[in-house]
Amino acid sequence: EPEVTQTPSHQVTQMGQEVILRCVPISNHLYFYWYRQILGQKVEFLVSFYNNEISEKSEIFDDQFSVERPDGSNFTLKIRSTKLEDSAMYFCASSQTGLGYEQYFGPGTRLTVT
Amino acid sequence: RKEVEQDPGPFNVPEGATVAFNCTYSNSASQSFFWYRQDCRKEPKLLMSVYSSGNEDGRFTAQLNRASQYISLLIRDSKLSDSATYLCVVNPLGNQGGKLIFGQGTELSVKP
């Protein structure tokens, strides 16, 4: 069964550093998303992406965040200057039939900012 | 009012029990609805979409009441493997945005 994959599984970085989280969505999916989950809290939407454009973004997704589809398979989330409060699990998701339809999540990248 | 609100849990039930989860959502214009399950520190996994007419998948039955802005999930004949956190999820804009709004989740523990 096709799966969303994410690398790395765990990233430790110092405050102020840039990080890039990588995702490979399911191959025939066209819609891509990033979510995050701070430990003990609910899953929160960051951004949706389709046709090389951001479709929607949350208040969390400020100028420090960016997304890119650099090639036909990868989807990345960049955090330019990490803060302590960026420490969370970051999940990538993808969907096939449209922005409002079932989304399938990757295993996540645990980001720890020290 | 929270955008998506669920029973706080945890629910502790014996194997074979029937358990019901409830959820309410605040945006009456919400378009699509889902139940996901999440095992400890893992990704949310789609359990089922929820349709207006109600739908069933094996031991799982989901119901939607748009007038009351209420969603439910019924699990019959609980198995040990059903132990997880169950997440009520709403898409408020349908195909206009793709944002999923998650509830806090209800933890289920099925005991032998």
Side-chain angles (χ1 to χ4, degrees):
Chain A
E1 185 177 321
E3 292 179 335
V4 177
T5 60
Q6 291 185 242
T7 53
S9 57
H10 190 191
Q11 173 97 45
V12 181
T13 189
Q14 288 191 325
M15 200 167 49
Q17 296 296 304
E18 174 183 288
V19 294
I20 298 176
L21 310 183
R22 302 181 192 282
C23 168
V24 178
I26 295 172
S27 62
N28 62 346
H29 286 192
L30 300 175
Y31 305 85
F32 314 117
Y33 315 85
W34 284 101
Y35 292 82
R36 78 171 188 191
Q37 186 173 31
I38 294 170
L39 190 63
Q41 297 187 24
K42 63 180 182 176
V43 177
E44 299 174 290
F45 171 79
L46 293 177
V47 66
S48 59
F49 189 87
Y50 168 66
N51 201 24
N52 280 318
E53 287 184 346
I54 289 175
S55 302
E56 188 180 6
K57 60 183 181 179
S58 72
E59 291 172 357
I60 303 167
F61 194 89
D62 60 22
D63 291 344
Q64 293 300 310
F65 291 86
S66 62
V67 288
E68 194 178 27
R69 182 124 162 107
D71 53 43
S73 58
N74 289 284
F75 179 52
T76 62
L77 174 70
K78 183 194 288 187
I79 309 175
R80 264 180 268 284
S81 178
T82 49
K83 307 183 187 69
L84 294 176
E85 55 264 37
D86 293 328
S87 294
M89 183 73 97
Y90 288 80
F91 294 110
C92 174
S94 68
S95 62
Q96 181 181 30
T97 46
L99 287 168
Y101 295 89
E102 291 90 351
Q103 297 179 20
Y104 296 89
F105 284 72
T109 293
R110 179 163 299 284
L111 176 65
T112 303
V113 183
T114 61
Chain B
R1 184 177 175 183
K2 290 181 184 175
E3 290 181 287
V4 179
E5 197 152 7
Q6 297 185 241
D7 286 346
F11 286 20
N12 297 301
V13 303
E15 265 186 296
T18 295
V19 60
F21 300 128
N22 303 313
C23 169
T24 56
Y25 59 95
S26 61
N27 185 344
S28 60
S30 294
Q31 298 291 311
S32 29
F33 311 89
F34 310 93
W35 284 100
Y36 280 74
R37 67 171 277 169
Q38 186 174 31
D39 294 283
C40 188
R41 295 182 173 247
K42 298 285 186 69
E43 75 272 24
K45 286 190 191 292
L46 178 65
L47 190 61
M48 57 199 304
S49 302
V50 187
Y51 304 118
S52 296
S53 53
N55 47 301
E56 188 174 306
D57 183 2
R59 298 181 293 109
F60 299 84
T61 301
Q63 299 276 354
L64 168 65
N65 184 323
R66 285 188 184 269
S68 304
Q69 294 172 220
Y70 170 88
I71 308 161
S72 66
L73 176 69
L74 187 76
I75 305 176
R76 288 180 299 278
D77 189 22
S78 302
K79 312 287 184 199
L80 296 176
S81 57
D82 293 334
S83 297
T85 297
Y86 287 82
L87 307 173
C88 177
V89 183
V90 173
N91 180 312
L93 294 179
N95 60 7
Q96 301 305 309
K99 168 183 178 179
L100 294 182
I101 301 175
F102 284 74
Q104 191 72 26
T106 303
E107 187 181 341
L108 172 66
S109 180
V110 181
K111 306 288 188 190

